[in-house]
Amino acid sequence: MSDAIPADLQYTAEHEWVAQGTPVTVGITRHAADALGDLVYVELPEVGAEVTAGSVCGEVESTKSVSEIFSPVSGTIAEVNAAVVDDPSLVNTDPYGEGWLFKVEVSDASGLLSAEEYGALVQA
């Protein structure tokens, strides 16, 4: 388990990551997954739903707390990861891989942080 922040992703101050592509892939960071503890429930937006950057689009529940998932970009939900709904622990074990949450056809992706900027934020 590495604490490294993948340099090829972009991030939000709310601890979501975005992998570039068409559509983009979204998940929560290792920092967030570790802070939440063992996830027991994941609620994701529905395919076809419109999301707005910075708005709540789902939630994750752990043995410690419930946290909202914020969309890092604006656009339309193209796909959701049913595997994390069935097995939320994937977010804890592989947040940048099998634990991705949803994919978005992007209309606006402004305001994202680089890996370096996100690293400075979580180190503060």
Side-chain angles (χ1 to χ4, degrees), residues 28 33 36-42 60-63 65 88-89 91-92:
I28 62 173
L36 287 164
D38 294 334
L39 294 187
V40 296
Y41 177 75
V42 175
V60 290
E61 184 177 330
S62 71
T63 53
S65 67
S89 70
V91 176
N92 295 110

Side-chain angles (χ1 to χ4, degrees), residues 68-101:
E68 296 174 323
I69 300 169
F70 297 90
S71 182
V73 296
S74 295
T76 305
I77 299 296
E79 185 179 345
V80 295
N81 187 354
V84 299
V85 174
D86 294 339
D87 184 6
S89 70
L90 288 172
V91 176
N92 295 110
T93 57
D94 192 11
Y96 301 113
E98 294 296 314
W100 64 274
L101 299 178

Side-chain angles (χ1 to χ4, degrees), residues 14-41:
E14 290 79 29
H15 310 289
E16 285 88 22
W17 58 261
V18 177
Q20 294 307 309
T22 305
V24 300
T25 303
V26 175
I28 62 173
T29 65
R30 163 80 57 209
H31 178 83
D34 290 350
L36 287 164
D38 294 334
L39 294 187
V40 296
Y41 177 75

